[in-house]
Amino acid sequence: LDLRKPDAPQYGLTPYLIDEEKMAAFSKDYEKQRGESLTRNQKLEDEWYVARDDLGVLATFIKCNHPQGGKQGLVIEGDLLVPDEASEVATCTHYIVDQDNQLSLALSYPRVLLKDWSAIEGAARDALNRYKVQ
C-alpha cells in the first residue's frame, strides 16, 4: 500500500489508487538501483480494495483487473450472468484473513460481482465455520 492512497469507499470497501507522485519517486529510485527505467502498463495494474475489522486490522484484500473499454465480460440480467462484448471476463481475487482460526482464503469471481463481496465473504466464512473440526 506504500505506493497507493485511499479513495472514496465503494461497496463498503476502500479502493487504493496508485499515488502517481510516490510512483514517480519510486521509479527514479528503481532506475538508480537497476540502471534501467521502470516499465509500467497501467492497463495491467490491478485495482485494489481493502476492508478492515473494527480494530482497523486488515481483514479483506481484493484485487481486480480492469474492464476492457468499460466492459467487464459479463453483465447481470436477473439471476443470470450474461456475456457482454468484451473478449475477456474481468475478474477479482478476494483474500480473506480469518484471525480467529489462523486461516487465509483466496476466492476468485467475475468483477461484475464485486458489489456482492461482503455476501460472498460471509458465505465463505459460514462454510468454514460449518465444517470446522473441533
Side-chain angles (χ1 to χ4, degrees):
L1 291 175
D2 289 345
L3 296 176
R4 293 182 179 246
K5 59 185 175 185
D7 198 23
Q10 296 177 10
Y11 314 122
L13 295 164
T14 302
Y16 277 80
L17 307 176
I18 292 177
D19 184 324
E20 293 301 335
E21 288 180 21
K22 288 182 179 178
M23 181 58 80
F26 174 79
S27 294
K28 286 180 185 177
D29 289 343
Y30 180 94
E31 188 169 354
K32 282 180 190 173
Q33 288 179 358
R34 306 235 176 164
E36 59 186 53
S37 298
L38 177 69
T39 303
R40 288 179 63 195
N41 182 342
Q42 292 178 338
K43 291 181 183 179
L44 298 178
E45 293 174 349
D46 292 332
E47 299 171 340
W48 288 11
Y49 300 90
V50 169
R52 298 181 185 277
D53 67 14
D54 295 336
L55 300 174
V57 176
L58 179 69
T60 302
F61 173 72
I62 302 172
K63 65 178 183 174
C64 302
N65 52 21
H66 289 279
Q68 294 180 355
K71 302 290 183 182
Q72 298 190 65
L74 295 169
V75 294
I76 300 172
E77 290 184 6
D79 292 337
L80 301 174
L81 293 177
V82 179
D84 63 16
E85 297 84 35
S87 60
E88 292 182 24
V89 175
T91 60
C92 294
T93 303
H94 181 150
Y95 301 92
I96 302 167
V97 177
D98 182 345
Q99 294 287 349
D100 295 336
N101 296 304
Q102 298 179 351
L103 294 171
S104 63
L105 181 66
L107 309 169
S108 294
Y109 47 83
R111 188 183 183 286
V112 71
L113 298 176
L114 177 61
K115 65 181 183 54
D116 297 317
W117 75 271
S118 184
I120 293 167
E121 181 170 314
R125 288 183 186 275
D126 288 346
L128 285 173
N129 289 331
R130 259 194 320 270
Y131 299 104
K132 183 177 177 180
V133 177
Q134 298 296 332

